[in-house]
């Protein structure tokens, strides 16, 4: 008997399944992708016991003709491409013709399909067709997978907990839903609905369905293109972040992909607006000529090769940067309010004198402080909370806010501060409502979800993605109509606890962190200044010899001039070494070698370097050290000077560490605080005054 | 502008004015020192949010050797300017302002050219009219500041408490400071009757700087007030400070009139004991020392405990003790500050109860100087 023989096709399919069908989520992915490729508008996924017991995917797509149905279970059988030319112009999600046979080889699969007429039913167990009959079926395809990995116990053994597997399934359905907003997805697990999208084609609604309405409201649409690429999607405002990159979905021609360089470009677009260790939520839909992308890299196609990747990363970075730089990034106070925490009572109690008490007795408030250091206002403790902890702020605000009634308005276009009452849907057309809408529109560009405040009070309950409200199209149009003023013109009112500056603008009250504000102003100065280093070079008595592996040496030889431009002159010194005889004078004594190595690493990683970017950390440190701190009195003149300079900053919204510089109480927030705006149910009767 | 001056005399005034100059400011020109040369002499100005100092160097003082060749004004970055002046080689120096605010500083063969700024952009100093004024001896005023400023709060969360409350009424000059945990009050009868009356709150930081400027020669300090500024005149130097706005809490009611337990100590001895006890209290979570008084046995013990390090107990030697038994805990740092302000005197400590503030007064003058400390409730 010859030693070398061809494997049985069932065995070959099982081997292939190892690549394609790793876990229940892979089955869901492959089946749903097939459904999408079949032009479905509605895809329902039902899962039992995290997919191990049963996975069913039902779509209303094209369906499979009876004569094709058995062929679909053959390996490398597909309707998606026909010749070599198609392989380089892949417009569908699948093309390899592997998914169905792979799944069938490791499970019990029932396929019911119809192209409109009489349907077909195929029952395939472990890769062998057991049954092929005509069946009643509506147009579309339904695939039921049971007993997954029943014949490959080894695979079963390596599955994670049901919760983990379910999370993966949910994740993949979510990503697919994000890729195809015009397809209605639903995912049901053990009878419980986990995800549902409407299929109305509104990406932001899909985002709301997946990440929640609150999050979706804090995302802004982006749009950028160059001759080769078109990038659209939604990115979160810097105030909305997550601790991992998980929440960045990159969609390339409708395909969810992993690509580190593109995620990095997205994050780079935020610049210093993101806090350290935080990542944005984002859905980026990249459209490009299929010729420019090679998806035939990995069986699951989550990794792809993109030609002209540098141009694409550049485009993403610029698009995000530009979009955010037009955005007013001041977080609104209401959405930022943290839940109040109770501090545990300490064992001792420093008594305080009741300084304002009129009674003749001594009265002691039992403030939980044992020594003065404990009274220091920590940022968290003095975080603006509505009434409880900072009544003074609120009181000030009401004192300076333009009074209602006869007083002349400050700007002609300002809308009178009058409650806008909506009794019926017809009221939306009233000029007052339109004006109200117009006024508040700028704060919430995510109008379709946030809805204008006017419509919100009319809606029975908060808008969910699955319950769109009729007025949405109007609001969307308004959003795009007028350019926004990005940074408000702040009028200084006073200082709070020597730490925060209080300012008003036409649209409400602002609290400015004075340290963060000056840090930002300084940073923009030092970032420039610190890049302007002298070209002087310090000669070294003992030269520095740097050893690099051959791959790096080859790479570096391309970048000798780049390094030269920042003052590092590499000379070859043997096959794998470079020698450096001098270094720029701005290097810190004792850290010359490390600094050179780090700069070379930058070049190896990015292929470019500039002194300003390299020294950014130094700039941040200098701006922090040279800035006024908290607990520092500022007179009016100094405070005004600071606010004026802040207004001219390129990014006045965050300090270089990414913390916010100012927060905003809108007029409406203030009115809510003082209960001038009642619950929507009682609107129309009496209004505070 | 051009002038020459004796460097030593100039440095002295420069140091005084530099007290008001901070490197951290939101108005960049305030990091500079303003120099105005006129026929009367040289006027130096430094300013920050709290204080402004203006010092006149007279042209007619022969010791200073000031010659004004050309009047004018300039603002120079204080940090560099003082360092330069201090390190110049010769006894005398010459400052010349050239085009575009370029300023040349020469001394011997050394010549610096530094960039100045237009003095017209320098903020104007507040104007204080001379209607109400009080004159105090420098030494008395310095003592008064050092006795009260210790109790000032350094937290801007209650800005009013970051100042010392000064009240002049019926010829009695009263200074009170409190951070709501302790209070210090000093009263002085004016040597010369004055009809002036005022009620102001001066930031503690300003007073600290001011007391450093009051020399040991006991020259008089003249105080003048306006709406929101106070001006101290010390010879040719004017010291401006902002006043804190608002109403100072009524502190007179806080001082207990009678006591259930009183005890007398030599202030330095008690201070030394408290300092020893605080060595351990600082290590503990609470920073508390406990005082146990048993008048019947003429005994006072001080005790402090740190669970991690250990404890200390010391029997004190009171000069006199009367009243009820008492056990009271307090923050030793407040006690140390208070005791230091008494110097070498005998003091009387008066307690009412374990949860009421107690007072410290010097035995020879029980009405004009009082320190009050609130206890800590221990559980």
């Amino acid at each position: 008997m010859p030693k070398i023989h061809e494997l049985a096709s069932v065995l070959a399919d099982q081997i292939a399944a190892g690549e394609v069908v790793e876990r229940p989520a892979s089955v869901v992915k492959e089946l749903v992708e097939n459904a999408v490729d079949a032009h479905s508008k509605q895809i329902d996924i039902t899962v039992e016991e995290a997919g191990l017991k049963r996975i069913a995917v039902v779509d209303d797509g094209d369906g499979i003709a009876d004569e094709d149905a058995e062929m679909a279970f053959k390996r490398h059988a597909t309707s998606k491409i026909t010749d070599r030319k198609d392989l380089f112009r892949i417009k569908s999600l699948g093309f390899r013709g592997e998914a169905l046979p792979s799944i069938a080889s490791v499970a019990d699969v029932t396929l019911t399909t119809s192209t409109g007429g009489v349907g077909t039913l195929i029952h395939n167990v472990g890769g062998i067709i057991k049954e092929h009959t005509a069946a009643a079926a509506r147009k579309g395809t339904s695939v039921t997978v049971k007993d997954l990995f029943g014949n490959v116990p080894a695979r079963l053994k390596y599955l994670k907990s049901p919760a983990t597997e379910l999370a993966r399934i949910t994740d993949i359905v979510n990503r697919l839903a994000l890729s195809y907003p015009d397809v209605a997805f639903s995912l049901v697990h053990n009878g419980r609905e986990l995800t549902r999208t409407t299929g109305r084609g509104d990406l932001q609604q899909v985002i709301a369905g997946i990440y929640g309405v609150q999050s979706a409201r804090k995302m802004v649409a982006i749009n950028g293109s160059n001759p080769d690429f078109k990038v659209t999607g939604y990115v979160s405002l810097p105030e909305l972040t997550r601790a991992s990159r998980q929440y960045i979905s990159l969609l390339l021609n409708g395909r969810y992909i992993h690509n580190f360089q593109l995620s990095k470009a997205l994050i780079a677009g935020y610049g210093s607006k993101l806090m350290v260790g935080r990542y944005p939520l984002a859905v980026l839909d990249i459209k490009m000529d299929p010729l420019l992308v090679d998806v035939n890299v990995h069986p699951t196609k989550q990794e792809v090769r993109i030609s002209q990747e540098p141009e694409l990363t550049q485009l993403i970075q610029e698009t995000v940067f530009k979009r955010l730089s037009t955005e007013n990034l001041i977080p609104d106070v209401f959405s930022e309010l943290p839940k109040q925490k109770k501090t545990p009572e300490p064992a001792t109690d420093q008594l305080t004198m009741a300084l304002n008490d009129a009674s003749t007795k001594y009265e002691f408030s039992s403030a939980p402080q044992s020594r003065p250091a404990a009274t220091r206002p920590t940022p968290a403790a003095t975080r603006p909370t509505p009434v409880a902890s900072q009544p003074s702020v609120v009181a000030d605000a009401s004192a300076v806010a333009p009074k209602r009634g006869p007083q002349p308005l400050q700007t002609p276009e300002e809308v009178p501060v009058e409650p806008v009452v909506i009794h019926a849907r017809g009221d939306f057309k009233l000029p007052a409502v339109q004006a109200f809408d117009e006024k508040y529109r700028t704060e919430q560009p995510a109008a379709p979800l946030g809805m204008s405040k006017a419509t919100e009070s009319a809606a029975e309950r908060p808008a969910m993605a699955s319950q769109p409200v009729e007025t949405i199209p109007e609001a969307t149009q308004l959003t795009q109509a007028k350019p926004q003023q990005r940074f408000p013109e702040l009028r200084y009112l006073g200082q709070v606890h020597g730490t925060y500056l209080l300012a008003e603008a036409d649209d409400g009250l602002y609290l400015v962190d004075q340290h963060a504000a000056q840090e930002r102003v300084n940073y923009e100065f030092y970032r420039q200044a610190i890049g302007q280093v002298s070209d002087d070079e310090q000669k070294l008595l003992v030269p520095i010899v740097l050893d690099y592996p051959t791959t790096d040496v080859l790479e570096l030889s391309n970048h000798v001039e780049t390094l030269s431009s920042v003052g590092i002159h590499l000379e070859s010194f043997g096959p794998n070494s470079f020698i450096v005889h001098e270094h720029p004078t701005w290097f810190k004594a004792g850290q010359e070698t490390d600094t050179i190595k780090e700069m070379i690493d930058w070049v190896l990683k990015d292929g470019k370097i500039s002194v300003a970017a390299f020294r950014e950390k130094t700039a941040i440190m200098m701006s922090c050290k040279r800035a006024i701190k908290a607990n520092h009195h500022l007179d009016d003149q100094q405070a005004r000077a600071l606010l004026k300079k802040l207004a001219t900053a390129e990014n006045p919204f965050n300090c270089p560490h990414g913390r916010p510089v100012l927060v905003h109480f809108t007029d409406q927030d203030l009115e809510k605080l003082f209960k001038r705006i009642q619950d929507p149910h009682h609107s129309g009767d009496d209004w505070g005054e | 502008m051009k002038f020459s001056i004796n460097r030593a005399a100039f440095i002295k005034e420069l140091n005084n004015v530099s007290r008001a100059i901070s490197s951290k400011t939101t108005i960049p020109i305030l990091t500079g020192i303003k120099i105005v040369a006129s026929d009367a002499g040289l006027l130096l100005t430094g300013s920050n949010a709290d204080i402004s100092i203006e010092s006149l160097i007279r042209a007619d003082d022969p010791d200073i050797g000031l010659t004004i060749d050309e009047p004018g004004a300039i603002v120079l970055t204080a940090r560099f300017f003082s360092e330069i002046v201090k390190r110049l080689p010769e006894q005398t120096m010459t400052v010349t302002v050239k085009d575009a605010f370029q300023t040349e500083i020469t001394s011997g063969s050394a010549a610096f050219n530094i960039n100045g700024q237009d003095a017209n952009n320098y903020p104007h100093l507040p104007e204080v009219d001379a209607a109400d004024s009080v004159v105090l001896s420098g030494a008395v005023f310095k003592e008064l500041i050092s006795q009260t400023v210790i109790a000032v709060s350094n937290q801007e969360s209650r800005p009013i408490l970051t100042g010392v409350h000064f009240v002049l009424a019926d010829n009695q000059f009263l200074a009170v400071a409190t951070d709501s945990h302790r209070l210090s009050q000093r009263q002085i009868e004016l040597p010369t009757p004055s009809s002036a009356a005022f009620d102001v709150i001066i930031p503690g930081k300003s007073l600290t700087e001011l007391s450093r400027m009051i020399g040991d020669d006991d020259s008089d300090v003249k105080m003048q007030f306006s709406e929101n500024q106070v001006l101290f005149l010390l010879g040719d130097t004017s010291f401006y400070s902002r006043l804190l706005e608002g109403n100072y809490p009524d502190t007179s009611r806080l001082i207990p009139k009678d006591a259930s337990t009183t005890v007398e100590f030599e202030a330095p001895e008690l201070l030394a004991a408290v300092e020893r006890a605080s060595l351990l209290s600082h290590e503990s979570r609470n920073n508390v020392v406990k005082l146990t008084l048993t008048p019947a046995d003429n005994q006072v013990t001080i005790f402090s405990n740190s669970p991690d390090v250990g404890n200390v107990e010391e029997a004190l030697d009171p000069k006199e003790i009367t009243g009820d038994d008492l056990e009271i805990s307090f923050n030793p740092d407040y006690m140390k500050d208070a005791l230091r302000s008494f110097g070498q005197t005998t003091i009387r400590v008066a307690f009412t109860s374990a949860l009421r503030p107690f007072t410290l007064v010097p035995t020879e003058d029980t009405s004009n100087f009082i320190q009050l400390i609130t206890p800590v409730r221990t559980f």
Side-chain angles (χ1 to χ4, degrees), chain B residues 82 126 157 186 214 241 284 320:
Chain B
S82 4
S157 48
R186 178 70 202 270
I214 300 174
S241 168
S284 85
E320 201 187 314

Side-chain angles (χ1 to χ4, degrees), chain B residues 126-145:
Chain B
E127 285 184 16
V128 177
D129 56 18
D132 268 2
S133 70
V134 183
V135 180
L136 274 177
S137 127
V140 171
F141 197 62
K142 201 170 174 175
E143 188 192 57
L144 178 128
I145 292 174

Side-chain angles (χ1 to χ4, degrees), chain B residues 51-104:
Chain B
I51 58 174
S52 303
I53 301 174
E54 202 173 61
S55 209
L56 178 69
I57 304 174
R58 288 180 190 274
D60 50 13
D61 187 337
D63 296 341
I64 295 170
L66 174 64
T67 49
I68 308 275
D69 298 320
E70 195 187 318
I74 188 77
V75 176
L76 299 171
T77 306
R79 221 172 83 222
F80 298 114
F81 185 59
S82 4
E83 290 300 313
I84 289 168
V85 171
K86 280 173 197 162
R87 282 173 175 71
L88 287 173
E90 296 290 325
Q91 280 257 313
T92 58
M93 56 177 274
T94 306
V95 175
T96 318
V97 178
K98 298 191 285 195
D99 290 342
F101 310 110
Q102 277 280 313
T103 306
E104 189 182 53

Side-chain angles (χ1 to χ4, degrees), chain A residues 347 350 357 362 631 638 645, chain B residues 26 156 253 256 374 377 379:
Chain A
Q350 168 68 59
D357 204 280
Y362 305 123
N631 200 17
Q638 294 215 32
K645 264 194 233 142
Chain B
T26 62
E156 291 285 344
R253 287 176 293 104
T374 49
R377 189 205 309 254
F379 296 96

Side-chain angles (χ1 to χ4, degrees), chain A residues 349-360:
Chain A
D349 201 359
Q350 168 68 59
L351 303 175
T352 51
M353 288 171 274
L355 292 172
N356 287 328
D357 204 280
S359 70
T360 47

